[in-house]
Amino acid sequence: MKPAELERLLELADRVETLERRLVRAETLTGELARHEELVAAAPEVGAAMERAGVALRPITRQLEREWVDQGPLVTDWQRAFELEQIAEAAGADPSLSAQEADAARRRVESARLATRRQRELIDREREAMTEAVDRSPFDVEIPAGGADARPEAARREALALAGVAQEAAGDVAEAGSAAAARAADARAELGRLGEPAALRRELEELRARLPGEVKLGEDAPASAAVKLERAGVRVR
């Protein structure tokens, strides 16, 4: 092979290697851009769902606080009646009257807690809305599971915890969406400089088609020539 011909092949091999690197980078950027754009598109919906839940949970929390205060005396009466029943039994007296009073006090507490059950249903509705919004998105938000404690103070703690998650998630999602938008803009700019993967693949195929499948190098050819040609897909003998 003449030196001029070898030089032409090596130049072509260099262009193939450079284009291969550009293609790999462009494909990587394309994948990253798709993920960034997915976050950008999903952020408004998820953020809005979290904000709505946070707002809806505020009156629920206040109502549960009122129910906690209102049910306090009823629970105290129930506990006192139960203790009197236990004392009567221990003293060998007839506990039936105390048992009736304890049973009546228990029913009053259970009746009052029907309202608390309604607040729990409202909490569950907000939790489900938050979960559905997250499940439809690429975001990962750990939403607390629901409880079964019938006491208003327990339901209030649950509502406060859920509202805290909603508030924090709304901020995190907005921040993540903004960061993803910035990264997407950078990826688009770099892709604009590199070229789209499809166009790069076509150009690479055209260059490879101009390379021979196999060449025989003379003894005077530099060792680096064989390495470059083989990297470009040319068999060297």
Side-chain angles (χ1 to χ4, degrees):
M1 179 179 290
K2 296 180 180 180
E5 186 179 0
L6 177 59
E7 184 177 352
R8 182 187 64 79
L9 281 179
L10 291 176
E11 181 183 350
L12 195 55
D14 283 338
R15 290 174 61 189
V16 167
E17 187 176 358
T18 299
L19 197 54
E20 285 176 339
R21 288 197 297 267
R22 284 175 60 191
L23 176 58
V24 169
R25 178 58 181 162
E27 288 175 336
T28 299
L29 281 172
T30 300
E32 291 176 356
L33 179 58
R35 290 191 292 273
H36 298 329
E37 289 178 336
E38 186 182 13
L39 289 172
V40 172
E45 179 187 353
V46 178
M50 296 300 155
E51 289 176 359
R52 282 195 301 270
V55 171
L57 286 164
R58 290 173 196 160
I60 297 173
T61 302
R62 291 194 294 269
Q63 176 60 27
L64 286 168
E65 187 171 358
R66 287 191 290 268
E67 291 179 12
W68 183 12
V69 172
D70 293 343
Q71 292 179 30
L74 300 179
V75 174
T76 300
D77 290 345
W78 180 17
Q79 291 173 338
R80 183 181 299 113
F82 179 76
E83 289 169 359
L84 289 174
E85 180 186 358
Q86 298 301 307
I87 291 172
E89 287 184 349
D94 184 4
S96 57
L97 181 59
S98 297
Q100 291 173 6
E101 292 176 353
D103 188 57
R106 176 184 56 79
R107 287 197 299 270
R108 286 193 293 272
V109 170
E110 291 176 348
S111 177
R113 285 181 177 170
L114 291 175
T116 302
R117 185 183 303 172
R118 171 55 181 162
Q119 299 307 313
R120 274 204 166 279
E121 292 172 355
L122 296 176
I123 295 171
D124 289 339
R125 186 173 68 184
E126 298 307 323
R127 180 184 292 103
E128 289 170 7
M130 291 168 63
T131 301
E132 288 174 2
V134 171
D135 288 346
R136 291 193 298 268
S137 79
F139 293 100
D140 183 17
V141 179
E142 188 173 346
I143 298 174
D149 195 322
R151 297 173 301 163
E153 58 267 37
R156 177 178 175 273
R157 286 194 298 271
E158 189 176 315
L160 286 172
L162 193 60
V165 169
Q167 181 179 0
E168 183 177 357
D172 290 347
V173 166
E175 184 178 345
S178 297
R183 289 193 292 268
D186 291 341
R188 288 192 201 95
E190 188 174 352
L191 270 174
R193 295 189 295 270
L194 291 171
E196 292 296 325
L200 293 173
R201 285 191 205 97
R202 287 193 298 270
E203 185 179 353
L204 184 58
E205 288 172 2
E206 292 171 0
L207 287 178
R208 283 173 173 162
R210 293 164 57 184
L211 286 170
E214 181 178 289
V215 296
K216 181 178 180 181
L217 297 180
E219 295 181 357
D220 57 340
S224 60
V227 175
K228 284 185 178 181
L229 290 171
E230 287 174 347
R231 281 205 301 258
V234 179
R235 293 187 300 276
V236 177
R237 52 185 185 86

